Amino acid sequence: MTDELPPLDLEVLAANYSPTAAIARLCFVADRAEAETLQLDALRMAADLLKQGDNTKLYTSVVERIAGRLGAAYELDRDWVDEVDRRAAKRQEILDAELNGYKTNMIKESIRMGHNDLGDFFYQRGDLNSAFKCYVRTRDYCTTSRHVVAMCLNVVRVSIESENFVHVQNYVQKASQVPDVSEPAVLAKLGCAAGLAALESRKYKMAARKFTELAVELEDSYSEVISPQDVATYGGLCALASLDRKELKERVLDNITFRAALEVVPEVRELINDFYASRYPSCLACLEKMKPALALDIHLHDHVESLYEQIRHRALIQYTTPYTVVDLAAMAHAFRTDTPALEKELAALIMDEKIAARIDSQSKILYARHANQRNATYARALATGREFRQGTHAMLIRASLLKNDCVVRGAGGGGGGRERG
């Protein structure tokens, strides 16, 4: 049965990201999923990925959550944990010694690399706080623009994982202000990070602009933070929720780069096309179909209800705009709801001055309050006449000045023009 299918394919999910990012998303799915089968599948895949790395603390936590429900193969491997911890302690000791040696010799590039190596070490171990400190310390030893941008991207990556989006905003801005940063891939990464920060702050219009204005496709170049599918989904939903019809066409439908990104998420592409073409039943059906998977998205889960509400409101506004009179029963059918519920939604939009209309509750008819077209036409004609008169007057003055040789010459032209009596 189709209803029994899980809301998302965990194999596809894990394949879209680097191991660390995939583990974070699998653990999040295990936290949020209601079905025990999906929880266990996510924990099993996370445990398998963790045994390929050095994050023994998170591995132990995941195995404890499995609690023996997946058999002996997923019991705690104490020997592996001890071996990895011993190897990590030895590795940290070597890195600390190398860094101290670099500091003694006062070689800036070596010190920068030493802090960077320690940051990478702590990141792999899952100690994001220590990794953040190490990456930030490289700032004092950066000697080129490329070094500064690399430092900012490292800090942004760690800050996104630790959900510290204030640091994300700050370091994206720092990287953007670095001179000679023109690599499309770097600018795309910064744009994605800025989009995630805007999304987290519920600034959906800014997020839509950041995701849709990327000059190049990311492909898998930023898989430790975001996937191409995420860019298309986040950008598409934020655009539907916040952009007007004209901007939606310019930034999404006529945007060659973003349109190519939408090809990897056909359901979002069809959703946007249906919305723009006013095919509301299929648009709303597509939204409902996507909702369970979006509720398990690590960045989008808190915004699903808000985005859906704003998309629905924009659809209601778009539906009523061309008409003077709207039958609420027919509109309710298009929006998959009943007439009383639709009437409440429209009344709220009218109170918020988002729809200029009034509702006849007796006959269930909405009457639009359009501006007086006759007065508006006269006002435009008068404004055009004033602009024409001003332009003509300016041209006559200029012609008269030229005729009488009243011109201002340059510094090498022998002084200013002469005045005529």
Side-chain angles (χ1 to χ4, degrees):
M1 293 289 289
T2 303
D3 294 339
E4 297 174 355
L5 293 174
L8 74 168
D9 188 330
L10 295 180
E11 296 285 350
V12 174
L13 176 73
N16 288 334
Y17 303 95
S18 68
T20 304
I23 290 165
R25 283 155 177 78
L26 289 169
C27 289
F28 182 82
V29 170
D31 288 337
R32 302 277 299 190
E34 295 180 0
E36 185 181 13
T37 305
L38 186 58
Q39 292 177 10
L40 288 176
D41 284 345
L43 290 172
R44 174 181 56 77
M45 292 179 63
D48 289 340
L49 287 172
L50 283 163
K51 286 205 75 173
Q52 300 171 23
D54 297 324
N55 193 344
T56 54
K57 184 177 180 181
L58 184 56
Y59 166 77
T60 304
S61 173
V62 167
V63 170
E64 287 175 355
R65 290 174 61 188
I66 292 173
R69 291 176 290 174
L70 293 175
Y74 291 93
E75 297 286 350
L76 181 63
D77 189 343
R78 176 56 62 184
D79 292 337
W80 177 82
V81 171
D82 292 341
E83 173 61 26
V84 171
D85 285 344
R86 279 195 299 270
R87 190 170 65 242
K90 185 175 181 180
R91 173 67 175 158
Q92 183 178 352
E93 186 178 340
I94 293 171
L95 291 173
D96 284 332
E98 288 178 349
L99 179 59
N100 289 331
Y102 299 147
K103 288 180 177 179
T104 302
N105 295 327
M106 293 299 291
I107 304 171
K108 290 188 72 173
E109 175 60 12
S110 297
I111 296 172
R112 186 187 72 83
M113 291 299 297
H115 282 303
N116 213 56
D117 290 342
L118 267 174
D120 292 343
F121 168 80
F122 286 123
Y123 178 75
Q124 293 300 326
R125 291 285 286 166
D127 188 349
L128 297 180
N129 189 43
S130 297
F132 174 84
K133 291 177 181 178
C134 289
Y135 288 138
V136 169
R137 287 182 189 130
T138 65
R139 178 175 53 187
D140 296 332
Y141 304 97
C142 293
T143 55
T144 68
S145 298
R146 188 181 294 273
H147 292 165
V148 176
V149 171
M151 178 273 295
C152 290
L153 287 174
N154 283 331
V155 172
V156 164
R157 169 166 50 87
V158 172
S159 299
I160 288 173
E161 283 200 35
S162 57
E163 299 181 4
N164 191 333
F165 285 93
V166 174
H167 284 319
V168 174
Q169 291 175 330
N170 290 340
Y171 281 88
V172 166
Q173 189 173 7
K174 287 180 189 293
S176 301
Q177 293 171 348
V178 174
D180 304 325
V181 177
S182 57
E183 294 180 33
V186 171
L187 295 175
K189 290 179 180 181
L190 295 175
C192 287
L196 288 175
L199 176 64
E200 183 65 23
S201 303
R202 298 185 181 274
K203 297 176 182 176
Y204 300 133
K205 192 166 190 174
M206 183 184 295
R209 288 175 174 171
K210 292 296 182 182
F211 287 124
T212 57
E213 68 187 11
L214 301 181
V216 295
E217 291 184 63
L218 278 178
E219 298 181 349
D220 60 351
S221 63
Y222 208 25
S223 62
E224 65 270 27
V225 170
I226 196 169
S227 70
Q229 290 85 345
D230 291 338
V231 172
T233 302
Y234 301 168
L237 291 176
C238 288
L240 288 177
S242 61
L243 302 184
D244 59 35
R245 189 174 178 82
K246 179 182 177 184
E247 202 169 7
L248 182 66
K249 187 173 190 304
E250 291 174 354
R251 290 186 170 271
V252 178
L253 297 175
D254 292 343
N255 183 335
I256 296 174
T257 304
F258 193 73
R259 224 170 49 216
L262 285 172
E263 292 301 318
V264 298
V265 193
E267 59 270 26
V268 178
R269 181 194 63 209
E270 293 304 316
L271 169 64
I272 294 171
N273 288 333
D274 287 340
F275 182 91
Y276 190 78
S278 302
R279 295 189 290 265
Y280 300 113
S282 57
C283 173
L284 295 174
C286 187
L287 280 171
E288 286 304 312
K289 184 179 178 182
M290 292 169 59
K291 196 170 186 178
L294 297 177
L296 298 176
D297 185 277
I298 195 168
H299 292 300
L300 209 59
H301 66 282
D302 276 342
H303 307 278
V304 173
E305 295 299 334
S306 178
L307 286 169
Y308 271 41
E309 181 182 13
Q310 291 187 37
I311 292 171
R312 185 176 176 85
H313 286 174
R314 285 196 171 272
L316 291 170
I317 295 167
Q318 184 172 291
Y319 185 97
T320 60
T321 298
Y323 302 111
T324 304
V325 179
V326 178
D327 182 354
L328 294 187
M331 188 175 178
H333 178 73
F335 282 86
R336 304 161 62 91
T337 186
D338 54 69
T339 305
L342 176 65
E343 189 175 341
K344 289 182 180 179
E345 285 186 90
L346 291 172
L349 290 171
I350 291 170
M351 291 295 291
D352 291 339
E353 298 183 353
K354 293 180 179 178
I355 294 179
R358 59 186 178 84
I359 298 173
D360 183 344
S361 296
Q362 184 68 29
S363 56
K364 302 300 179 185
I365 299 291
L366 181 141
Y367 295 96
R369 292 175 179 168
H370 291 300
N372 190 314
Q373 297 297 322
R374 183 184 179 90
N375 289 345
T377 302
Y378 275 122
R380 287 196 298 270
L382 289 171
T384 302
R386 283 193 296 270
E387 290 175 6
F388 177 77
R389 186 179 63 186
Q390 291 170 357
T392 304
H393 184 63
M395 284 191 291
L396 288 172
I397 291 175
R398 185 172 185 274
S400 179
L401 290 171
L402 290 172
K403 179 181 178 182
N404 292 279
D405 197 25
C406 292
V407 296
V408 178
R409 295 186 175 87
R418 57 192 178 87
E419 295 184 2
R420 296 273 183 171

